[in-house]
Amino acid sequence: MSLYDRYLAARTRHGGDPPRSVALVVTERDLLEQGAYGTLASFLGWAFDAGAERVAVYVSVLDEAAVPTIRRQLADVDAPRPLSVRGPGDHEPADTPIQLSVGLGGKAEFAGAVRRVAARVAEGELDSDAVDHDTIEAELVFPWAPDLVIKTGAERLSDFMIWQSVYSELYFTDVNWRDFRRRDYLRAVRDYQKRQRRFGR
């Protein structure tokens, strides 16, 4: 670790509460770069070393045919905690510290959750008057809200965790995934620590 990285790490340790839950958004193209999965494994280590308790990674894909290959490669990532991998059509909630999703957009996830709640109401299992935000959240693939969402490469939001990230802190970096380093992650944490979270207030 360079002197600058050690400096940043010290600042994050003493700079306030770090994000306990972190989400990362990358693209299918990012993972085609040489060493991309090694960078992902390192990213997961950096996040937990800096105080994260949960990490979600969303891989946005354009080519549906690439999903099975990406899922297999993600499942083989050398992760520091147990992980689960989700893809299109998966709807069972995951309860692992690391959750990886391929092409499972927020709109699709939310629509699926609503359909399952509606089915429970139709079957008489649930009273419609009892449906609230907790009911919906319990049906989401990622039933937790990230403190920090990191998007690499451009200042554009993706269709990802649209329910869960409504009060998240968003961090955009122009550093492309192939060049993302520990210092870039620590900069995101420092930026988070300097913010005053308002949760919509």
Side-chain angles (χ1 to χ4, degrees):
M1 190 190 312
S2 71
L3 180 61
Y4 179 63
D5 288 339
R6 287 197 292 270
Y7 166 77
L8 279 176
R11 293 293 300 273
T12 58
R13 281 195 298 271
H14 304 291
D17 293 333
R20 299 299 180 187
S21 54
V22 178
L24 169 71
V25 181
V26 295
T27 68
E28 169 192 356
R29 184 176 59 189
D30 291 329
L31 294 183
L32 294 176
E33 298 285 346
Q34 185 175 3
Y37 289 93
T39 301
L40 180 57
S42 296
F43 174 89
L44 297 172
W46 302 332
F48 287 106
D49 287 346
E53 298 170 356
R54 287 180 179 268
V55 179
V57 178
Y58 175 66
V59 182
S60 175
V61 297
L62 296 176
D63 182 6
E64 190 80 12
V67 171
T69 299
I70 294 175
R71 287 190 65 159
R72 288 195 300 271
Q73 291 172 328
L74 289 174
D76 290 337
V77 167
D78 185 17
R81 302 281 193 283
L83 64 80
S84 57
V85 181
R86 290 291 182 268
D90 293 337
H91 58 78
E92 290 298 322
D95 190 27
T96 53
I98 301 172
Q99 300 178 14
L100 313 179
S101 175
V102 187
L104 187 65
K107 289 182 179 180
E109 180 188 15
F110 182 70
V114 171
R115 283 195 299 270
R116 289 189 292 279
V117 170
R120 291 172 59 195
V121 171
E123 294 168 1
E125 178 186 337
L126 180 66
D127 191 301
S128 61
D129 291 335
V131 175
D132 58 15
H133 66 272
D134 290 330
T135 311
I136 300 295
E137 286 179 357
E139 296 289 341
L140 297 174
V141 176
F142 299 118
W144 50 273
D147 294 321
L148 175 65
V149 177
I150 299 174
K151 175 69 171 64
T152 63
E155 293 192 8
R156 291 191 301 272
L157 287 174
S158 295
D159 175 20
F160 170 66
M161 300 181 83
I162 56 177
W163 174 288
Q164 303 94 321
S165 64
V166 64
Y167 296 135
S168 301
E169 296 299 317
L170 306 180
Y171 181 84
F172 298 96
T173 173
D174 58 3
V175 177
N176 291 320
W177 179 246
R178 66 176 179 271
D179 301 318
F180 199 84
R181 299 162 296 177
R182 176 176 179 165
R183 65 181 57 181
D184 300 305
Y185 180 75
L186 294 176
R187 285 169 177 157
V189 172
R190 284 294 296 141
D191 183 84
Y192 172 88
Q193 290 173 321
K194 294 175 182 178
R195 299 186 188 186
Q196 182 178 4
R197 302 192 69 189
R198 298 185 181 276
F199 298 96
R201 294 189 295 272

